[in-house]
Amino acid sequence: MTTVYSASALKPWQNWVAGSLQSANENWIPLCTHSSFYSEIERRKRTEDAYKAAVTELKKKPHYGGPDYEEGPNSLINEEEFFDAVEAALDKHDQIEEQSQAERSRASRRISFTPDTYSSISTQKYLTTPHSQTSSLSSVDLISASDDVHRFSAQVEEMVQSHMNYSLQDVGGDANWQLVVEEGDMKVYRREVEENGIVLDPLKATHAVRGVTGHEVCHYFWDTAFRNDWETTVESFQVVETLSDKAVIIHQTHKRVWPASQRDVLYVSVIRKILSTNENDPDTWLVCNFSVDHDGYPPSARCIRAKINVAMICQTLISPPEGDKKITRDNILCKITYVANVNPGGWVPASVLRAVAKREYPKFLKRFTSYVQEKTSDAVVLF
């Protein structure tokens, strides 16, 4: 049965619906206001999330506060937490360094060249050697320097001969060496060695860099005037003693990477040119850094004194240009062998040390060789 309502009976319902619609229309939000409304909600949400993250971070601080949660024989921080903390610190360091590099690049582009600057640049292009105006440790006069006798001479000769005899050997087929990184022409090998629970892994890297010579690579690696241009892990360093034109003693303090303790090193740094005994082989340029003791710089409670034996060994290969054309940087290739034996001391977990070495050594080698390429791109080739 169908119910039929009269118009008078429906009138109250029609009035109610009309009133409801009018009320709804009054509460509608215009499109632009609607957008601002949700933007405000999103902004408040981000603020709340940032606040919650800050509170969470503050809650963590007391948990890891104090010496018990730093590197030490009785540290309460476990290996995984130690690694995560070191990795986070290194990531932050990289971010800061990238920002600093960008600022330096912008600053260099803003430099305005005066006529005197142009005159200086044109003169430097015809120098046969790169010259550092701020360092007395330049390798410019090495070949003519003959007096290289000092109290560490015997140790220097032993180290140099050891690197020439063993460091240049190919380890690609040696089962004791693991290939841990391969990027283009660069290969990084590691041999796992532990002594009394301390990681002493020897590391060896090979690389081929175009457009630079072995002399140039070793010059920028050895000359302290350029150290802060490419070395990002050093907090401070100073030349403790000049032993000769080719050898110095350097004290170097590295930036701390929490929760690891801060490290410093005290070492002799030597640069050498080794003449080839075979006319078919290239000459070799070498920088050797090895730890020594010095009465004026004993180990301190502030840092753990690490021990090092590091060498940068370079040989220059030349592809002869056609006809009577001059040799340019397009004809030059530098073969690099970098070896590092480091005893970090302390109590950093083995897995952390190995992970950091695998991450940082390739970055250092790429950063440094790129720096040398940039510094020498417009300079006369230094053989």
Side-chain angles (χ1 to χ4, degrees), residues 20 27 38 52 57 62 86 96 115 161 167 170 234-235 244 247 300 303 349 365:
S20 298
N27 293 324
Y38 280 101
K52 290 177 182 178
E57 188 65 25
V86 168
I96 294 172
Q161 289 302 318
S167 297
D170 183 16
V234 171
E235 181 178 278
S244 72
S300 70
C303 297
L365 201 53

Side-chain angles (χ1 to χ4, degrees), residues 163 166-169 171 177-178 180-181 185-191 201-209 217-218 220-222 227 230-231 233-234 252 254 265 267 269 284-290 307-315 334-342 356-358 360-369:
H163 285 302
Y166 302 110
S167 297
L168 291 175
Q169 294 179 0
V171 297
W177 290 85
Q178 305 172 18
V180 292
V181 176
D185 293 320
M186 181 177 60
K187 295 180 179 179
V188 180
Y189 299 89
R190 178 179 67 207
R191 183 161 58 87
D201 296 355
L203 180 138
K204 180 172 182 177
T206 60
H207 199 14
V209 183
V217 171
C218 287
Y220 286 104
F221 187 68
W222 182 77
R227 185 67 49 86
W230 55 266
E231 177 60 271
T233 67
V234 171
Q252 191 164 283
H254 288 265
V265 287
Y267 60 95
S269 183
T284 301
W285 280 90
L286 174 146
V287 175
C288 180
N289 300 335
F290 61 91
K307 301 293 185 181
I308 65 169
N309 180 8
V310 173
M312 178 76 74
I313 309 169
C314 302
Q315 296 176 325
C334 181
K335 287 179 60 179
I336 297 175
T337 300
Y338 178 79
V339 292
N341 295 271
V342 179
V356 170
K358 182 178 178 180
E360 294 301 311
Y361 277 113
K363 284 171 56 179
F364 146 71
L365 201 53
K366 286 189 292 185
R367 180 176 63 249
F368 171 67
T369 53

Side-chain angles (χ1 to χ4, degrees), residues 259-270:
S261 300
Q262 192 165 25
R263 259 73 176 175
D264 70 345
V265 287
L266 182 71
Y267 60 95
V268 169
S269 183
V270 179

